[in-house]
Amino acid sequence: MTENIAFLTGITGQDGAYLAKFLVDKGYAVHGLLRRSASADVIATRLKWIGVYDKVTLHDGNLTDISSLIRILSDVRPSEVYNLAAQSFVKSSWQQPLLTGHVTGLAAANMLEAVRIICPEARFYQASSSEMYGLIQEPVQSETTPFYPRSPYAAAKLYAHWMTVNYRESFGMHASSGILFNHESPLRGIEFVTRKITAAVAQIKLGKQKTLSLGNLDAKRDWGHARDYTKAMWLMLQQDVPDDYVIATGRTTSVREFCSLAFSHVGLNMDDHVVIDPKYLRAAEVDVLHGDASKAHARLGWKSETTLEQLVTEMVEADLTRFKLHEHL
Ligand code: NDP
Ligand code: GDR
């Protein structure tokens, strides 16, 4: 039997950790791209947290350096490639528009080119985003909804998305793009609003912090769990025919509501702690996202399995445990 070999860029991020765990549990040999950091002590913290650090092989390289990708693919010879690496924080993309364009946009073409040259038979997944809908053109967004990016991040993702479609159509590559709506977990980066809220709720509950500063509380997102969404990535690559899929829960919730749920979970009232700081507002906002994942339900048999209430509970509890132990992630 031939061994399933997966190569993940972005393996040290939230989705990389959940996908690596999922694939290791399925018996894959899992390889990942690791960019060099001066903070070697925090490298792969998420892979350690989820329990697969010693079960994956990490390779030194960078998505912006195609020579490193070519070298690694030549060594690893993967059957599946998941391109998850990106400058993924939307707000930073206004501060670093060119870097975001390079990493989140152009470097996806590096990965596609490296796969086309070294292992064109490998199946390819591109991490596309609901941010591409931006200034929404339809109240509920599906694969046929027109895109209208509202940030340098979204514009870069749109380029990567269309390059994936183009490589599928031009070279017959098994290249699929998952248009994933926001998905969160205890491994979410601390700067994203959900984790910022659950970390603050835990700190406030433990008496280590008094207030939480936020931006636009009226923004609405379709929030799911990263564990469910990374499974959808794998399902896309198991199909005979590559395609693009929206992955979403179908429920949209405001930042205010998310916040209220998190504070209520520990018996606190958000109105006693939340302050608005304009520095967290964006140059252009995506007011509301609400996904329709019917195609994924019908063709992949995929469904979001975690409710928002379960997600909030899991995240708050994980942060309470962490901060009681004085851990930082
Ligand atoms: P994270 O920000 O948690 O992870 C990003 C990953 O990219 C990290 O492993 C990071 O490495 C890596 N990376 C960044 N720049 C480079 C580079 N130049 N070379 C190599 N690696 C690099 O993102 P998520 O896990 O949340 O998201 C995964 C992907 O899915 C991203 O592309 C994101 O844009 C996209 N996405 C995410 C959604 C979400 O709600 N989470 C929704 C839709 C799309 P390091 O650890 O060294 O920083
Ligand atoms: P988003 O996630 O931009 O949707 O991108 P984020 O959690 O950063 O923002 C969600 C919404 O919350 C509002 N908001 C705040 N956001 C942050 N970060 N901090 C705050 O204090 C705050 N207050 C209010 C924002 O204005 C926004 O409307 C995420 C990333 O994972 C992308 O990589 C991914 O593509 C999309 O989700 C889908």
Side-chain angles (χ1 to χ4, degrees):
M1 201 180 82
T2 40
E3 190 186 22
N4 284 318
I5 303 173
F7 175 62
L8 282 59
T9 72
I11 194 168
T12 54
Q14 170 190 259
D15 290 6
Y18 278 95
L19 183 61
K21 164 101 175 94
F22 178 83
L23 294 171
V24 163
D25 290 347
K26 281 215 164 301
Y28 278 63
V30 176
H31 296 258
L33 181 68
L34 182 70
R35 63 170 168 165
R36 196 257 157 192
S37 166
S39 312
D41 52 332
V42 296
I43 281 182
T45 315
R46 291 187 175 95
L47 292 169
K48 288 174 189 157
W49 189 92
I50 215 161
V52 294
Y53 180 60
D54 53 355
K55 300 190 176 98
V56 300
T57 310
L58 299 175
H59 301 260
D60 186 24
N62 196 295
L63 201 63
T64 58
D65 181 345
I66 193 170
S67 67
S68 68
L69 303 178
I70 286 177
R71 170 180 50 78
I72 297 165
L73 290 184
S74 303
D75 289 348
V76 171
R77 297 274 160 192
S79 47
E80 296 176 12
V81 173
Y82 296 85
N83 186 39
L84 309 181
Q87 190 302 93
S88 75
F89 190 43
V90 175
K91 181 120 173 43
S92 282
S93 75
W94 280 281
Q95 273 88 49
Q96 302 179 48
L98 299 179
L99 177 128
T100 303
H102 277 293
V103 178
T104 305
L106 205 55
N110 278 347
M111 200 65 244
L112 281 161
E113 266 298 272
V115 170
R116 185 182 70 80
I117 293 164
I118 304 298
C119 49
E121 67 296 336
R123 296 184 171 195
F124 180 87
Y125 174 84
Q126 170 59 24
S128 287
S129 166
S130 53
E131 279 294 295
M132 300 187 309
Y133 296 118
L135 187 64
I136 53 166
Q137 303 294 296
E138 289 177 339
V140 180
Q141 301 87 48
S142 72
E143 295 80 3
T144 56
T145 304
F147 299 119
Y148 193 129
R150 290 271 276 175
S151 62
Y153 167 84
K157 277 286 179 195
L158 199 52
Y159 170 77
H161 175 73
W162 282 118
M163 284 298 278
T164 304
V165 174
N166 184 262
Y167 269 55
R168 178 167 77 221
E169 294 176 355
S170 305
F171 304 114
M173 279 171 53
H174 194 296
S176 295
S177 177
I179 307 172
L180 271 53
F181 283 61
N182 298 54
H183 46 280
E184 320 295 312
S185 73
L187 294 183
R188 186 55 140 155
I190 198 88
E191 70 273 50
F192 297 94
V193 76
T194 55
R195 182 74 205 296
K196 183 175 168 182
I197 292 169
T198 62
V201 163
Q203 295 278 33
I204 292 168
K205 183 68 185 172
L206 297 172
K208 298 178 179 184
Q209 186 177 325
K210 284 201 161 35
T211 56
L212 163 62
S213 301
L214 292 172
N216 178 12
L217 297 184
D218 296 321
K220 294 177 100 176
R221 292 290 184 274
D222 181 329
W223 278 298
H225 197 303
R227 189 173 44 233
D228 299 341
Y229 285 42
T230 46
K231 181 178 176 194
M233 297 174 184
W234 175 79
L235 282 168
M236 286 178 217
L237 297 205
Q238 309 318 303
Q239 306 307 303
D240 291 338
V241 179
D243 207 341
D244 307 322
Y245 294 90
V246 161
I247 299 297
T249 69
R251 170 179 172 188
T252 189
T253 309
S254 67
V255 172
R256 188 189 309 280
E257 261 176 283
F258 186 102
C259 203
S260 171
L261 280 171
F263 275 96
S264 312
H265 180 71
V266 295
L268 296 173
N269 184 344
M270 69 176 273
D271 296 333
D272 298 331
H273 303 280
V274 173
V275 294
I276 302 302
D277 186 334
K279 87 173 175 206
Y280 295 113
L281 299 175
R282 297 184 174 183
E285 180 61 286
V286 172
D287 294 321
V288 54
L289 290 170
H290 188 178
D292 170 6
S294 327
K295 181 173 164 184
H297 297 168
R299 303 226 190 130
L300 306 178
W302 178 87
K303 260 196 159 40
S304 173
E305 286 166 25
T306 313
T307 65
L308 184 72
E309 289 73 14
Q310 289 167 334
L311 174 67
V312 172
T313 299
E314 188 182 330
M315 290 178 71
V316 173
E317 288 297 326
D319 278 326
L320 281 168
T321 305
R322 267 186 196 125
F323 295 129
K324 276 181 200 155
L325 297 170
H326 307 288
E327 278 178 2
H328 297 279
L329 184 75

